[in-house]
């Protein structure tokens, strides 16, 4: 059993960035070499700005290299919930951004001929209980009527043909979503940023920063040296900590855990997901699954509300294997080769938050939908630091502090796990 990310294990790094000299001064310093940071660096450098990316670990070490590789066009809070909260027009505007975000990834892949296993086959939303099916049907209808999505409701027998399992009570298909090898894509973004003149600095954790005057210029102290930047963009998501306390108090890091099987025989892989769509169920402690480019079944989910560490990853992975085998009994004799975890950043309202605070620019709170939106927001933040704040589509959303949260998520995770587990049992 390999207790680390399949994606990171099967991608060629963009280079060794552990000893690249940190410049004295740049136009833009980007904190974090995940999709937000790398996309910001690429688009800002392409626009002619000098850019340095400061990463505490290595390129796509965090959530960007530990997720399911699903490039979907759904809001973190659910479309019908967004309609209820913001109204039809605003909810459509928000979900349209996710369509644009998926399009951006496809555009980057096509224009730069990126070898990142990008496939746009659509997604499945699966009713985990019979009582969930009516909600699934209403969501499909709302997406089709209000947002113009190409959705189709499927009954239990039709869904069985889509997933090779009798575990679900129906669902719907949506055609715009995609899948990608996230580590290959992350390293490709890094290479594009370097090609445009940006520099990337791994093992360069930002330990302190000081604002120069009342503007946006900051001096950043890292474990590898000090740098001054005219603008600073923070893209650390669920791994946000000191010295970014104001941001840290606005997202709870929640573990998301993943297992990956050994390569499956072609006929078995086809039986499980014949159309190679990405899939997710309707539990709050949800499951999601897809085929990898080499025909393994990736099966992930919250499993439980916990942080990620070796013991937690194994315990959560074992829960996921049991859930996977209940859905797919035909996999009970298949070897699980990978098991790992990572942190997603969930905000109080489960919406994206981006903007500027005390001279620092930030984009975060993707709530488990970060592959596409983090990439998209990197492009947006490059526009923002270039002097176009109106480019930020989330700028008018309030960014609430999570009550009682000061950076230690234990109590909130325990409460959240109890609450969402009860909702799943009672739904």
């Amino acid at each position: 059993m390999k207790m680390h990310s399949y994606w990171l294990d099967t991608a060629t790094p963009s280079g060794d960035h552990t000893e690249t000299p940190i410049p004295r001064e740049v136009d833009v310093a980007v904190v974090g070499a995940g999709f937000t940071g790398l996309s910001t660096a690429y688009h800002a450098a392409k626009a002619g700005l000098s850019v340095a990316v400061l990463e505490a670990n290595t390129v796509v070490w965090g959530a960007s290299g530990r997720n399911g590789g699903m490039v979907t066009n759904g809001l973190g809070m659910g479309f019908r919930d967004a309609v209820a909260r913001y109204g039809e027009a605003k909810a459509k505007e928000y979900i349209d951004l996710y369509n644009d975000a998926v399009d951006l990834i496809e555009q980057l892949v096509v224009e730069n001929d990126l070898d990142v296993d990008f496939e746009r086959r659509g997604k499945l939303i699966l009713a985990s209980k019979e009582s969930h099916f009516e909600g699934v049907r209403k969501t499909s209808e709302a997406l089709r009527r209000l947002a113009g999505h190409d959705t189709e409701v499927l009954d239990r027998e039709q869904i069985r043909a889509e997933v090779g399992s009798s575990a679900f009570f129906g669902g719907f298909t949506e055609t715009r979503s995609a899948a990608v090898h996230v580590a290959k894509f992350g390293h490709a973004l890094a290479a594009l940023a370097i090609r445009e003149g940006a520099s990337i600095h791994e093992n360069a954790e930002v330990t302190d920063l000081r604002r120069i005057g009342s503007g946006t210029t900051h001096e950043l102290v890292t474990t590898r040296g000090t740098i001054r930047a005219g603008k600073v963009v923070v893209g650390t998501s669920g791994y946000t900590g000191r010295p970014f306390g104001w941001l840290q108090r606005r997202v709870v890091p929640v573990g998301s855990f993943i297992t990956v099987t050994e390569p499956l025989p072609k006929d078995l892989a086809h039986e499980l997901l014949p159309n190679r769509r990405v899939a997710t169920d309707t539990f709050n402690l949800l499951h999601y699954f897809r085929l990898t480019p080499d025909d393994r079944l990736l099966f992930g989910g919250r499993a439980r509300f916990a942080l990620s560490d070796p013991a937690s990853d194994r315990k959560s992975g074992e829960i996921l294997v049991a859930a996977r085998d209940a859905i797919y009994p035909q996999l009970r004799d298949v070897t699980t080769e990978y098991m790992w975890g990572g942190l997603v950043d969930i905000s109080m309202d489960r919406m994206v938050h981006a903007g500027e605070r005390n001279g620092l620019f930030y984009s975060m709170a993707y709530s488990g939908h970060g592959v596409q939106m983090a990439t998209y927001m990197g492009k947006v933040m490059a526009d923002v630091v270039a002097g176009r704040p109106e480019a930020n589509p989330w700028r008018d959303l309030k960014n609430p502090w999570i009550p009682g949260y000061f950076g230690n998520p234990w109590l909130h995770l325990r409460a959240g796990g109890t609450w969402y587990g009860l909702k799943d049992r009672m739904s």
Side-chain angles (χ1 to χ4, degrees), residues 29-42:
V30 178
V31 184
F35 294 144
T36 301
L38 294 171
S39 180
T40 300
Y42 166 63

Side-chain angles (χ1 to χ4, degrees), residues 122-316:
K123 71 178 176 183
L124 296 161
I125 303 297
L126 306 166
S128 301
K129 290 185 173 183
E130 190 170 8
S131 58
H132 293 185
F133 180 71
E134 181 60 17
V136 164
R137 186 194 64 75
K138 288 180 178 178
T139 298
S140 173
E141 161 63 19
L143 286 168
R144 187 169 58 252
R145 180 174 61 87
L146 300 176
H149 284 204
D150 181 14
T151 66
E152 181 183 4
V153 177
L154 303 178
D155 63 23
R156 190 171 189 177
E157 191 59 33
Q158 290 170 312
I159 277 293
R160 189 188 186 289
E162 281 278 356
V163 297
S165 171
S166 300
F168 302 103
F169 294 83
F172 72 84
T173 61
E174 190 281 330
T175 60
R176 300 189 189 186
S177 296
V180 72
H181 189 303
V182 286
K184 287 183 180 180
F185 178 61
H187 283 294
L189 270 181
L192 289 177
I194 291 168
R195 186 189 73 186
E196 297 296 334
S199 61
I200 297 175
H201 311 278
E202 297 172 324
N203 296 341
E205 180 182 1
V206 176
T207 58
D208 198 8
L209 75 164
R210 181 171 63 91
R211 190 176 184 181
I212 309 299
S214 60
T216 60
T217 299
H218 283 76
E219 187 173 74
L220 298 92
V221 179
T222 82
T223 50
R224 287 181 50 204
T226 300
I227 181 173
R228 180 173 289 203
K231 307 280 177 63
V232 177
V233 177
V234 182
T236 46
S237 294
Y239 294 85
T240 302
R242 292 192 177 102
F244 307 107
W246 188 87
L247 293 172
Q248 183 185 27
R249 292 190 294 273
R250 281 156 174 78
V251 289
V252 172
V254 176
S256 188
F257 306 94
I258 295 179
T259 65
V260 173
T261 68
E262 64 184 326
L264 304 176
K266 291 288 184 184
D267 58 343
L268 178 55
H270 183 77
E271 177 186 344
L272 304 185
L273 288 164
N275 295 308
R276 301 188 74 88
R277 304 187 203 274
V278 301
T280 185
D281 68 17
T282 52
F283 282 131
N284 289 288
L285 296 176
L286 58 79
H287 304 116
Y288 51 85
F289 51 97
R290 56 161 292 193
L291 292 172
T292 64
D294 56 351
D295 284 339
R296 304 167 185 264
L297 187 76
L298 179 150
F299 190 94
R302 300 273 150 77
R304 57 204 184 97
F305 269 52
L307 292 177
S308 173
D309 59 47
S312 182
D313 292 354
R314 184 174 289 277
K315 183 174 181 179
S316 300

Side-chain angles (χ1 to χ4, degrees), residues 63-99:
S64 296
R66 297 170 184 263
N67 60 78
M70 296 165 63
V71 188
T72 61
N73 59 345
L75 293 163
M77 69 176 301
F79 182 63
R80 286 193 297 133
D81 290 337
V83 170
R85 182 184 295 177
Y86 301 110
E88 292 180 359
K90 202 67 177 177
K92 180 184 185 303
E93 178 184 324
Y94 287 147
I95 203 163
D96 282 349
L97 294 171
Y98 283 83
N99 294 328

Side-chain angles (χ1 to χ4, degrees), residues 13-134:
S14 51
D16 182 355
H17 313 295
T18 58
E19 297 183 2
T20 49
I22 293 179
R24 285 188 173 186
E25 188 169 355
V26 290
D27 297 323
V28 182
V30 178
V31 184
F35 294 144
T36 301
L38 294 171
S39 180
T40 300
Y42 166 63
H43 288 101
K46 190 175 181 181
L49 300 174
S50 58
V51 184
V53 180
L54 307 170
E55 165 58 45
N57 294 284
T58 53
V59 168
V60 294
W61 176 89
S64 296
R66 297 170 184 263
N67 60 78
M70 296 165 63
V71 188
T72 61
N73 59 345
L75 293 163
M77 69 176 301
F79 182 63
R80 286 193 297 133
D81 290 337
V83 170
R85 182 184 295 177
Y86 301 110
E88 292 180 359
K90 202 67 177 177
K92 180 184 185 303
E93 178 184 324
Y94 287 147
I95 203 163
D96 282 349
L97 294 171
Y98 283 83
N99 294 328
D100 294 343
V102 180
D103 289 344
L104 174 63
I105 291 182
E106 184 171 46
Q107 178 186 339
L108 288 168
V109 169
V110 172
E111 288 183 354
N112 297 284
D113 194 25
L114 303 183
D115 181 13
V116 296
D117 301 311
F118 180 85
E119 289 187 315
R120 202 160 189 177
R121 301 290 187 94
K123 71 178 176 183
L124 296 161
I125 303 297
L126 306 166
S128 301
K129 290 185 173 183
E130 190 170 8
S131 58
H132 293 185
F133 180 71
E134 181 60 17

Side-chain angles (χ1 to χ4, degrees), residues 330-364:
Q330 56 269 57
L331 296 181
R332 285 177 181 164
D333 294 328
V334 168
T335 299
T336 300
E337 286 197 355
Y338 290 89
M339 191 178 285
W340 75 90
L343 301 177
V344 298
D345 51 334
I346 297 182
S347 58
M348 187 75 177
D349 57 3
R350 302 190 73 170
M351 293 293 283
V352 178
H353 291 284
E356 180 263 333
R357 166 77 177 182
N358 290 338
L360 288 178
F361 298 87
Y362 64 91
S363 180
M364 58 197 315

